[in-house]
Amino acid sequence: MEAEILYPVRKWFTVERISLRLWRVVKSTIKHTILISVAISCIFPLVWMFSSALKTNATVFTDMSLIPSDPQFINFAEAWTKGKFGVYFFNSVLYTLVCVFGVLFIASLAAFAFARFQFPGKNALYYLFLITLMIPVPGAIVALYVLLIHLGLIDTRLGYMLPQINGGLALGLFILRPFFERIPKDLEDAARIDGCGRWGIYWHVAIPLAKPALAVVALFTSLAVWNEFMLAQLVLQSQSLMPLQLGLVKFWGGTLTEYPLLMAGMAISVIPIVIAYIFLQKHIIAGVTAGALKG
Amino acid sequence: MKKLSLISLAVIVVLTPFLFSCKKLTRSHAVVVWHWMTDRDEALQELARKYKEETGQEVQFQLYAPSDVYSQKVKVGAQTNSLPDIYGVLGDAQDLAHFIEAGHVENLTGSLGEGPDSWRSTFYEEAINTAYFKAGNSFNVPEGTYGIPLDVTTIPMIYNKSLFAKAGLDPQKPPQTWTEFLEAGKALKKIGVTGFVSGWAETWLIYSLVTDLAHNLMGAEKVMDTHAGKVSYTDPDWVAVFTAFEQLQKAGFVDPSLVTLGNKAAEQAFSQERSGITFNGSWAVNVYAGMNDKLDYAPFPPPQLGNKFPPCVWGGAGSVFLVNAKSEVKDKAVAFLKWLSDKKQASFMVSATRNLSAVKDVGGEGVSPVLQQFADLMKNSIHPNRFLISEDPKVQEAITKGIQSILISEKTPSKVAEEVQKAKEKSKTE
């Protein structure tokens, strides 16, 4: 009786706490189980790729273990030399860097203009750019090929990169314009008082504020350019200009596929993109979430 | 911000030389060849090097793969008049006919010549004739030979000798009739393996077996009459061909995913001894060697449905090179192809790639006994490119889709025959 009088709240509180904690544990378990399952389903193909890269052509379909009993690390070296990855890797890095900088520079300038300037036909022009997102590459290939021939750009690095920069602009505009629109007018006025012109506002105010969005555009463009394959085969003829994806094709014949070398080559080709993602991860999450809120 | 500016500046400075060093390549006097054969690229490059050593003439082999990307490249090249000096058209006779009509393919009849000492005589007749259009052909292409074959394939049935022995079947005697084939499949099923597997998600494989069976049952003349519209697909012989696939399905020994299986998956199943019989091309010799070098197998002609005509094997066609009729170095291109099909070079190709050569009597380290068995089957080979009248692609599609429906018990052979005939009638009015 004395205890009930002295500790009624504690008794009620304890039962409630336990059920609440239990509920939280259950919720957290369900949440984490789902997240871990999704993470495993995302990571598993990569793990399988690395695992297959260490097998032989004969064991790749019979040895289902993730860690092969006799790992063939030589596959990576063979894939590198046989696929001539040295030349192609350099080309892919060059194409990716130039296209990413090209897209970032042109798309950010255009997005800034669409967001901050008033001019006739602004929205119509903006939507015209966005329409290009809906044109599939094969639909435009003949026209593009004819254009590149007339410009003398077939089988040149520039002829390969310009269409890709052009192709990345619409997405860049779509992502960057909302960011520039959100910059307060006061900030622009303050910069103007400090002596900034339009270029100064763009370079010193808008670009630093749009870093998360720029990171998203950079990653999407990198992925698109790094994995691009069809345009390269159409535009380029010299093997010395081809990107990394061509090296992979050497192991992927119409009838005969060298799966371990193909997997080793893919593992090599995926590494730079994974590194890029790790470095840009912080900005990408900020950029995507900010874009989502704005949307 | 200063850091960002410096990085941007540095990137521009580093990349500028690469960008401005990009000038358009001027067309040299080299013979340019576009090809799609990833597995033969190294050998072809080697031959190009040898040719330059011997003649001083440069030949550039440019690889574009996989084959669908290559086809896209060739089509774009044709539309923009930028095809190379030598190239190939992947597809059937109709595709080749379109390129010829558009003036992109040189008629090589004159260069090939006639008689025992001619260039033509060095090739297997079946191989050289895959690029030959007879007078009065259904595409209205002027008579002539428009391509030079590099290699050939045959597409027979293939059986696993070890599994045959295990199932109590004679490992030296593959089934010869359709009934024996069905019995063999059942025996294989009893020992726990799939009786028959093939990549029949790829409909061209189905069509090749249909053509084999039809030729065997009713003879080439009646098949051509059907193509010409004189015989209906509802004819009992055609229904019997379609019924053969129903029997295959009802016998219960085929891979359950037969109609959704790609050929690569089917090759894996056969090479890993999960199946006793398959229907595949001679390229499989390379594929099986890579996947399971201990596989004991042999090819055999598709089992006979009838006994009036000999068994037929789809074959004789392979990789064919065409000379661009608009090429500025046409003569040099022809000279190179002549050199390439010399026995010495052909023998090198066989050794390096283990493919059947289109050149007669070519030996080499690559011709293993089993590959020779595939080559021997070419004697009774048939191929649509050599037909006087080709079937309309839409009718071919109706046949293969219909057979897929039979294999999943969706339609009966009679129903499929009716649908194919309807497609045939529609094609005649289009």
Side-chain angles (χ1 to χ4, degrees):
Chain A
M1 186 65 188
E2 191 186 340
E4 275 182 27
I5 292 166
L6 285 173
Y7 307 114
V9 177
R10 189 205 277 177
K11 191 181 172 187
W12 172 84
F13 182 75
T14 308
V15 172
E16 199 63 11
R17 272 297 279 277
I18 288 168
S19 61
L20 198 67
R21 272 187 187 171
L22 204 66
W23 174 236
R24 278 184 186 159
V25 168
V26 170
K27 261 202 323 188
S28 168
T29 308
I30 293 169
K31 196 167 72 182
H32 281 91
T33 307
I34 293 169
L35 289 175
I36 289 168
S37 307
V38 172
I40 288 172
S41 68
C42 290
I43 293 168
F44 185 74
L46 280 176
V47 174
W48 188 257
M49 181 180 74
F50 278 100
S51 167
S52 299
L54 296 172
K55 295 173 185 172
T56 65
N57 230 4
T59 58
V60 75
F61 298 111
T62 49
D63 183 3
M64 293 297 135
S65 58
L66 282 179
I67 303 166
S69 51
D70 182 19
Q72 304 287 313
F73 291 103
I74 190 82
N75 284 346
F76 287 93
E78 200 178 332
W80 184 272
T81 48
K82 208 172 165 184
K84 294 178 183 165
F85 275 22
V87 178
Y88 299 147
F89 200 88
F90 167 78
N91 287 339
S92 276
V93 170
L94 177 72
Y95 297 146
T96 306
L97 281 177
V98 174
C99 291
V100 166
F101 274 89
V103 169
L104 287 182
F105 183 64
I106 300 170
S108 61
L109 275 175
F112 184 72
F114 279 119
R116 310 302 297 187
F117 301 163
Q118 293 304 322
F119 53 90
K122 185 171 93 166
N123 285 334
L125 197 62
Y126 176 69
Y127 289 118
L128 205 64
F129 267 108
L130 292 195
I131 283 171
T132 59
L133 275 176
M134 291 150 208
I135 300 172
V137 175
I141 222 84
V142 175
L144 179 67
Y145 198 80
V146 172
L147 182 70
L148 291 175
I149 283 180
H150 286 301
L151 291 173
L153 290 175
I154 285 290
D155 201 30
T156 64
R157 292 186 198 277
L158 209 55
Y160 178 53
M161 290 185 289
L162 285 179
Q164 293 198 83
I165 292 173
N166 180 55
L169 289 182
L171 185 69
L173 265 176
F174 185 68
I175 292 171
L176 291 170
R177 185 182 168 174
F179 270 84
F180 291 138
E181 278 175 343
R182 281 193 306 166
I183 297 171
K185 185 84 172 64
D186 296 346
L187 212 57
E188 197 179 327
D189 292 340
R192 202 164 280 134
I193 290 165
D194 286 344
C196 284
R198 280 176 174 173
W199 173 259
I201 295 166
Y202 160 79
W203 190 247
H204 295 295
V205 179
I207 290 293
L209 286 173
K211 265 186 194 170
L214 290 171
V216 174
V217 176
L219 187 80
F220 285 173
T221 311
S222 312
L223 273 174
V225 178
W226 191 261
N227 292 325
E228 203 295 314
F229 171 64
M230 195 174 176
L231 188 69
Q233 300 250 23
L234 285 162
V235 174
L236 302 175
Q237 289 170 3
S238 308
Q239 299 291 300
S240 60
L241 300 181
M242 289 285 185
L244 190 58
Q245 301 302 322
L246 186 84
L248 296 179
V249 166
K250 288 189 188 287
F251 311 124
W252 177 25
T255 53
L256 186 63
T257 302
E258 294 180 77
Y259 287 102
L261 295 186
L262 179 65
M263 293 297 167
M266 283 166 72
I268 293 168
S269 75
V270 96
I271 290 168
I273 288 296
V274 172
I275 291 171
Y277 184 80
I278 291 168
F279 274 103
L280 295 172
Q281 193 181 20
K282 192 177 75 182
H283 293 301
I284 290 160
I285 293 164
V288 170
T289 49
L293 287 173
K294 177 70 188 167
Chain B
M1 203 60 218
K2 199 178 170 187
K3 198 175 152 191
L4 189 68
S5 308
L6 282 172
I7 292 170
S8 306
L9 190 69
V11 169
I12 291 165
V13 167
V14 170
L15 298 182
T16 301
F18 291 106
L19 297 179
F20 284 90
S21 65
C22 306
K23 59 178 191 293
K24 187 181 181 294
L25 291 178
T26 50
R27 189 67 181 261
S28 65
H29 292 290
V31 172
V32 177
V33 189
W34 286 359
H35 81 101
W36 63 98
M37 298 166 278
T38 45
D39 56 336
R40 277 155 272 187
D41 188 52
E42 270 182 40
L44 291 170
Q45 302 289 356
E46 178 60 29
L47 286 174
R49 272 192 291 275
K50 281 184 187 171
Y51 190 64
K52 190 167 185 194
E53 272 174 23
E54 285 180 25
T55 64
Q57 173 63 48
E58 192 187 348
V59 176
Q60 293 173 1
F61 276 98
Q62 296 176 357
L63 171 68
Y64 302 100
S67 50
D68 51 343
V69 174
Y70 172 81
S71 290
Q72 179 88 1
K73 171 111 185 162
V74 168
K75 281 174 192 162
V76 172
Q79 284 168 322
T80 53
N81 268 331
S82 57
L83 284 169
D85 309 303
I86 299 173
Y87 63 102
V89 172
L90 304 182
D92 55 21
Q94 193 171 34
D95 294 312
L96 177 56
H98 288 320
F99 275 76
I100 296 169
E101 278 175 310
H104 294 303
V105 187
E106 178 75 357
N107 187 338
L108 298 170
T109 311
S111 305
L112 282 161
E114 287 292 342
D117 297 326
S118 64
W119 184 18
R120 174 184 289 277
S121 68
T122 61
F123 298 103
Y124 283 110
E125 206 182 318
E126 295 85 352
I128 193 72
N129 283 344
T130 50
Y132 170 63
F133 285 83
K134 292 176 184 168
N137 61 79
S138 53
F139 307 109
N140 297 320
V141 167
E143 185 187 4
T145 305
Y146 291 86
I148 301 301
L150 183 68
D151 49 39
V152 291
T153 56
T154 51
I155 309 180
M157 290 278 181
I158 305 169
Y159 73 107
N160 183 318
K161 288 182 173 181
S162 314
L163 290 178
F164 258 53
K166 213 172 159 186
L169 300 162
D170 185 349
Q172 303 307 325
K173 193 172 174 286
Q176 291 183 327
T177 66
W178 196 254
T179 314
E180 285 176 16
F181 172 62
L182 295 178
E183 291 306 317
K186 284 175 191 167
L188 286 164
K189 195 190 172 188
K190 278 184 192 161
I191 60 161
V193 294
T194 306
F196 177 75
V197 72
S198 189
W200 282 357
E202 296 172 35
T203 53
W204 60 271
L205 264 176
I206 301 179
Y207 191 69
S208 56
L209 183 57
V210 171
T211 319
D212 293 338
L213 295 178
H215 273 76
N216 165 246
L217 183 67
M218 61 189 96
E221 198 179 330
K222 191 168 178 181
V223 175
M224 288 309 114
D225 281 349
T226 316
H227 292 178
K230 294 176 195 164
V231 173
S232 168
Y233 276 103
T234 53
D235 181 276
D237 277 350
W238 276 104
V239 177
V241 171
F242 299 142
T243 304
F245 289 89
E246 189 184 46
Q247 289 168 345
L248 194 62
Q249 190 271 328
K250 283 189 174 162
F253 61 76
V254 296
D255 189 293
S257 55
L258 190 68
V259 298
T260 54
L261 215 57
N263 202 31
K264 281 187 193 296
E267 283 166 348
Q268 284 164 25
F270 185 76
S271 66
Q272 300 310 319
E273 307 203 302
R274 297 200 297 270
S275 170
I277 306 173
T278 189
F279 182 67
N280 203 3
S282 48
W283 58 81
V285 174
N286 277 330
V287 177
Y288 298 151
M291 288 177 173
N292 180 5
D293 57 1
K294 291 185 178 67
L295 191 70
D296 188 13
Y297 62 97
F300 66 100
Q304 290 180 264
L305 267 187
N307 50 18
K308 272 202 267 178
F309 298 97
C312 294
V313 177
W314 176 291
S319 313
V320 174
F321 279 136
L322 313 172
V323 174
N324 183 357
K326 296 168 187 172
S327 164
E328 290 170 11
V329 289
K330 216 164 24 185
D331 294 341
K332 289 177 182 174
V334 172
F336 173 68
L337 288 178
K338 213 172 228 176
W339 179 85
L340 191 67
S341 53
D342 183 82
K343 273 186 187 169
K344 192 180 166 195
Q345 279 68 252
S347 179
F348 170 80
M349 279 299 287
V350 172
S351 301
T353 67
R354 287 187 293 184
N355 283 295
L356 293 174
S357 179
V359 178
K360 278 191 272 189
D361 309 322
V362 165
E365 290 163 21
V367 182
S368 60
V370 73
L371 189 62
Q372 189 56 51
Q373 286 177 307
F374 277 88
D376 294 342
L377 291 171
M378 210 158 55
K379 284 163 198 158
N380 285 327
S381 71
I382 53 164
H383 194 275
N385 285 13
R386 302 196 299 271
F387 294 166
L388 181 62
I389 307 160
S390 288
E391 187 50 284
D392 188 283
K394 283 178 186 162
V395 179
Q396 290 182 24
E397 194 185 329
I399 292 172
T400 53
K401 299 274 179 201
I403 284 166
Q404 284 180 329
S405 300
I406 292 171
L407 290 167
I408 56 169
S409 306
E410 198 180 68
K411 287 174 186 167
T412 62
S414 312
K415 175 81 178 155
V416 169
E418 281 169 26
E419 287 180 359
V420 173
Q421 184 54 30
K422 271 184 199 166
K424 179 73 188 170
E425 279 156 19
K426 200 177 166 194
S427 75
K428 281 194 277 185
T429 56
E430 279 173 359

